[in-house]
Amino acid sequence: MGQITLERIPHDKQVAVHSLHALGYSTRKIAQSVDISTNVVCKITHEIPSNLDDIDTFKKGLLLRQYGIAQRATNYITDDKLDKMNALQLMTINAIGIDKARDMEGANRPVFNVVTVVNGLEKRLNDLSAQKSALLALESQQSNVVS
């Protein structure tokens, strides 16, 4: 097997490899997406330092592309097409639409109140301290009975 050289791999493909790798894609999926071999993907991720500015630019481009695709898909859904769908298809579209709208509003994020958590931990700590005291007292009583 010949030695892999990276001079012929365009910079944008190298940035794409680093970006997809940073996003957690598998080597095989990256190779398929960027149209290079898995060996080249491994060589790029292990031997070429990533340029964070290039990666951020690439990620923003991916995000914009996804928004563009979503917009086209939304525009493609017409009243006539909705009228021809069965109940399951309509409910699926409805559920996905509501879920994504709630994501954009931030409503799907869990409510996390630090004060409530701290108060709960303090109560639990007090309960555990009381249990510890009771166990120590019981242990002391048992020691006195045995002696």
Side-chain angles (χ1 to χ4, degrees), residues 18-81:
H18 277 293
S19 299
L20 295 171
H21 181 71
L23 292 170
Y25 283 74
S26 69
T27 301
R28 181 178 295 159
K29 188 69 175 168
I30 294 170
Q32 290 171 344
S33 299
V34 182
D35 194 30
I36 56 177
S37 74
T38 55
N39 289 338
V40 172
V41 170
C42 289
K43 186 139 176 116
I44 289 171
T45 57
H46 292 99
E47 295 183 15
I48 298 178
S50 62
N51 180 331
L52 295 179
D53 290 336
D54 286 346
I55 290 175
D56 285 341
T57 301
F58 182 82
K59 285 180 184 178
K60 287 176 185 172
L62 280 178
L63 188 61
L64 289 173
R65 179 168 163 74
Q66 288 306 115
Y67 276 120
I69 290 169
Q71 181 64 43
R72 285 183 55 217
T74 301
N75 292 340
Y76 188 72
I77 300 171
T78 62
D79 286 339
D80 185 49
K81 288 182 181 170

Side-chain angles (χ1 to χ4, degrees), residues 110-120:
V111 176
F112 185 80
N113 185 329
V114 175
V115 174
T116 304
V117 172
V118 169
N119 288 339

